Amino acid sequence: MRLIILGPPGAGKGTQAQILVEKYGIPQLSTGDMLRAAVKDETDVGKRAKAVMDAGELVSDAIVNAIVAERIGQEDCANGFILDGYPRTLAQADATEAMLAERGLELDAAIELQVDDKVLIGRIVKRAQEAKATGESVRKDDNADVFEERLREYYKKTAPLIGYYYARGKLHQVDGMAEIEEVTADIEKILRQ
Ligand code: AMP
């Protein structure tokens, strides 16, 4: 099964992807996590991406497309994967189609988590507080100022993907304001169809 989880920052993409990993035994491919690992390891990609990520802007399509193309070729992706935070631009969506077509594969579904903008910032602040409380490192972009930019980037560059997948008959919309378990149940219902 090959899935895309779409939605603004704080919509719960990562949370749902992690739950689905457990249930379906396929990996979660989070470009945000991969980029943060590259920043931490100070790789060439990490050095190029750091300032852009800290500002809440999108890293170039060329960088993320290359990361994903490499990742989906790995053995643990043979039975499918959940893309979390990728694609985020129309160019990335086209690249995804091309990567899959090259392997004779197709996307099963793009699931959009719909969440009221007003609750998103609250979730981001909470995530930062929780990370701090548990001694984890707090994401530099999980704060009110950078969040504004992340949301702007979402509307400008990522929201058009909703139309893109709708036009291809792949879009499924889920109420991301519901409890975590309910959101998961809604997603599972879609996947069973
Ligand atoms: P995330 O963890 O998905 O919120 O991503 C954190 C940051 O990583 C984003 O604000 C971007 O700077 C960068 N990033 C993650 N995924 C992508 C992507 N698909 N395209 C461009 N930039 C990305």
Side-chain angles (χ1 to χ4, degrees):
M1 183 171 45
R2 283 157 297 273
L3 280 189
I4 288 177
I5 306 197
L6 273 176
K13 301 185 292 293
T15 303
Q16 291 302 325
Q18 279 162 21
I19 297 171
L20 297 171
V21 163
E22 295 293 317
K23 295 194 183 244
Y24 294 92
I26 50 174
Q28 166 195 18
L29 311 189
S30 157
T31 40
D33 285 350
M34 294 181 217
L35 289 166
R36 276 185 290 279
V39 169
K40 194 160 163 249
D41 295 345
E42 297 181 356
T43 64
D44 282 348
V45 163
K47 284 180 199 152
R48 278 154 68 198
K50 186 179 185 314
V52 179
M53 292 172 74
D54 287 349
E57 292 162 13
L58 292 190
V59 173
S60 77
D61 291 332
I63 289 181
V64 287
N65 289 344
I67 293 178
V68 174
E70 205 259 327
R71 184 68 185 86
I72 64 171
Q74 291 173 7
E75 218 176 290
D76 62 333
C77 291
N79 291 327
F81 45 78
I82 303 162
L83 288 169
D84 158 20
Y86 179 94
R88 253 177 160 103
T89 64
L90 290 169
Q92 291 177 23
D94 282 340
T96 309
E97 301 260 292
M99 282 176 218
L100 292 175
E102 231 171 67
R103 296 174 163 80
L105 301 171
E106 240 192 83
L107 186 71
D108 292 295
I111 294 173
E112 182 204 354
L113 299 182
Q114 298 183 307
V115 178
D116 193 334
D117 283 356
K118 288 193 286 293
V119 312
L120 294 172
I121 181 63
R123 288 188 179 186
I124 293 283
V125 169
K126 193 168 156 223
R127 179 161 77 187
Q129 285 166 345
E130 282 172 358
K132 208 170 161 188
T134 56
E136 285 168 49
S137 58
V138 176
R139 280 175 55 169
K140 248 189 160 169
D141 58 353
D142 271 354
N143 62 70
D145 288 343
V146 179
F147 174 78
E148 291 275 320
E149 183 56 25
R150 289 166 67 196
L151 195 59
R152 259 196 302 271
E153 287 281 80
Y154 174 77
Y155 278 115
K156 216 165 33 185
K157 299 175 183 167
T158 310
L161 299 190
I162 295 166
Y164 181 97
Y165 289 114
Y166 175 80
R168 285 162 175 74
K170 303 281 186 203
L171 183 73
H172 300 271
Q173 294 168 309
V174 166
D175 176 12
M177 304 278 280
E179 293 298 323
I180 292 176
E181 299 74 22
E182 271 177 67
V183 177
T184 308
D186 286 347
I187 296 175
E188 290 186 291
K189 213 183 291 166
I190 291 164
L191 299 180
R192 277 197 297 270
Q193 279 167 12

